[in-house]
């Protein structure tokens, strides 16, 4: 049967409460003298006895201490399960463990994500110049009908169309002048398409370095604690170790998606520039074909 004895335990607010312990084997419960607090107790020998809130009612503990039949929560882990569940915390608690270097990493990640989202929206508005339409434009050029070519080309919905519109307007110029104008349009379109990619590249390169910096500062902090407290108490070292590992974790969490986004967007931009080059070469070849016939 359970044994009872007087003692004191800490409540959830860290206040020492006088009361009665009810012990059954390695498990014990506590009820305060004012009958306001009761629950299982943490019997970790390294700590003062602590009341685990919400684990038992005053009536249940009193009945158990009096030898009466009752239904009460039993914790065979002696408080370890409760401590483990509390240690999980939420994402904000996890971020706080990273120390001061976690905030630059998150800021860089946010900037990279914003740049990638805006760049994706920009590229979605660019419609590719289909080969069939380009073929119709070149056929009209070879016939010498520049107005028909312009109508077949349609709106300036992409850089290739914009370049060809300018080339068609230069119908009275030489093919060399048209070729130079098309190359100028290519050079003008490239920086506009690649604008914003540098932010994503910087995030991919900088985030792991900041994570490594956080690792170094966290280990320095850990060694300072070892110098003060020694290695006997692992809990005193947990803050420095957490800072070292969490910053590395978030550095990789930011860098890996940034690398993937940069590769996807770069491939999309290279495809647009390639279609622009193809359209320009096809147009110039069409002009040369006209002169050859003449």
């Amino acid at each position: 049967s359970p044994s009872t004895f007087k003692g004191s335990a800490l409540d959830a607010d860290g206040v020492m409460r006088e009361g009665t312990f009810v012990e059954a084997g390695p498990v014990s419960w506590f009820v305060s003298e004012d009958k306001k607090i009761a629950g299982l107790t943490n019997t970790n020998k390294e700590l003062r006895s602590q009341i685990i809130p919400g684990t038992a009612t005053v009536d249940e503990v009193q009945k158990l201490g009096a030898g009466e039949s009752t239904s009460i929560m039993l914790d065979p882990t002696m408080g370890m399960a409760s401590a483990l569940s509390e240690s999980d915390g939420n994402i904000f608690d996890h971020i706080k463990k990273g120390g001061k270097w976690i905030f630059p990493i998150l800021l860089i990640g946010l900037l990279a994500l914003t740049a990638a989202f805006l760049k994706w929206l920009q590229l979605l508005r660019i419609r590719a110049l289909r080969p069939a339409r380009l073929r119709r434009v070149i056929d009209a050029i070879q016939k010498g009908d520049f107005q028909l070519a312009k109508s077949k080309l349609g709106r300036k919905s992409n850089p290739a169309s914009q370049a060809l519109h300018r080339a068609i307007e230069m119908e009275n110029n030489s093919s060399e002048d048209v070729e130079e104008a098309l190359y100028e349009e290519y050079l003008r379109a490239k920086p506009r398409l690649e604008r914003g990619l540098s932010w994503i590249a910087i995030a991919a390169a900088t985030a792991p370095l900041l994570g490594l910096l956080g690792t170094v500062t966290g280990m320095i902090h850990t060694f300072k604690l070892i110098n003060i407290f020694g290695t006997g108490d692992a809990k005193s070292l947990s803050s420095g170790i957490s800072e070292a590992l969490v910053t590395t974790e978030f550095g990789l969490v930011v860098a890996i998606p940034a690398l993937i986004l940069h590769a996807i967007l770069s491939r999309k931009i290279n495809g647009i520039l390639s279609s622009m080059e193809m359209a320009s070469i096809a147009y110039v070849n069409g002009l040369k074909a006209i002169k050859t016939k003449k």
Side-chain angles (χ1 to χ4, degrees), residues 124-130 133 136-137 148-166 168-169:
L124 282 179
R125 292 195 294 267
I126 299 176
R127 297 185 179 182
L129 180 60
R130 298 184 180 278
R133 174 170 291 187
R136 290 194 293 269
V137 172
L148 178 61
K150 199 170 186 178
S151 64
K152 292 291 185 182
L153 188 57
R155 296 179 299 174
K156 303 177 182 179
S157 58
N158 54 67
S161 297
Q162 294 171 7
L164 291 183
H165 269 284
R166 181 180 176 185
I168 292 172
E169 291 171 357

Side-chain angles (χ1 to χ4, degrees), residues 11-237:
D11 62 12
D13 298 323
V15 178
M16 188 65 70
R17 299 276 186 169
E18 298 295 329
T20 303
F21 283 93
V22 180
E23 191 175 76
V27 185
S28 63
W29 297 261
F30 180 84
V31 58
S32 62
E33 287 184 352
D34 56 10
K35 305 299 188 289
K36 291 183 178 180
I37 299 175
L40 280 162
T41 59
N42 184 344
T43 55
N44 190 334
K45 300 303 181 183
E46 297 179 1
L47 302 172
R48 304 289 296 272
S49 294
Q50 293 179 314
I51 306 167
I52 304 174
T55 53
T57 65
V58 173
D59 184 60
E60 290 170 348
V61 178
Q62 284 183 322
K63 284 184 177 181
L64 185 65
E68 301 178 13
S69 176
T70 185
S71 176
I72 193 168
M73 184 181 293
L74 183 70
D75 183 12
T77 68
M78 293 176 287
M80 292 184 182
S82 177
L84 182 62
S85 64
E86 291 176 0
S87 67
D88 292 340
N90 52 38
I91 185 63
F92 299 105
D93 295 332
H94 191 59
I95 289 174
K96 289 179 181 178
K97 294 177 182 178
K100 61 182 179 180
W101 293 111
I102 196 71
F103 298 106
I105 294 174
L106 294 177
L107 178 60
I108 288 174
L110 181 61
L111 290 175
L113 183 61
T114 303
F117 178 72
L118 294 176
K119 179 55 62 177
W120 184 257
L121 290 180
Q122 178 192 357
L123 296 179
L124 282 179
R125 292 195 294 267
I126 299 176
R127 297 185 179 182
L129 180 60
R130 298 184 180 278
R133 174 170 291 187
L134 178 60
R135 184 70 262 170
R136 290 194 293 269
V137 172
I138 299 304
D139 290 341
I141 291 297
Q142 290 177 344
K143 294 176 183 178
D145 193 343
F146 287 89
Q147 291 302 319
L148 178 61
K150 199 170 186 178
S151 64
K152 292 291 185 182
L153 188 57
R155 296 179 299 174
K156 303 177 182 179
S157 58
N158 54 67
S161 297
Q162 294 171 7
L164 291 183
H165 269 284
R166 181 180 176 185
I168 292 172
E169 291 171 357
M170 298 175 63
E171 55 183 286
N172 297 323
N173 295 66
S174 64
S175 59
E176 289 78 10
D177 291 339
V178 173
E179 190 172 354
E180 289 295 328
L182 288 171
Y183 185 63
E184 182 183 341
E185 287 294 322
Y186 175 86
L187 294 178
R188 183 181 300 169
K190 188 175 181 180
R192 186 170 65 250
L193 289 171
E194 293 180 345
R195 186 181 300 126
L197 282 182
S198 58
W199 285 106
I200 306 174
I202 288 172
T206 308
L209 295 178
L210 286 174
L212 180 60
L213 180 59
T215 301
V216 172
T217 56
M219 294 309 297
I220 291 173
H221 180 58
T222 302
F223 286 128
K224 285 181 179 179
L225 294 175
I226 290 175
N227 188 39
I228 297 172
F229 300 105
T231 58
D233 185 8
K235 290 183 180 180
S236 63
L237 310 178

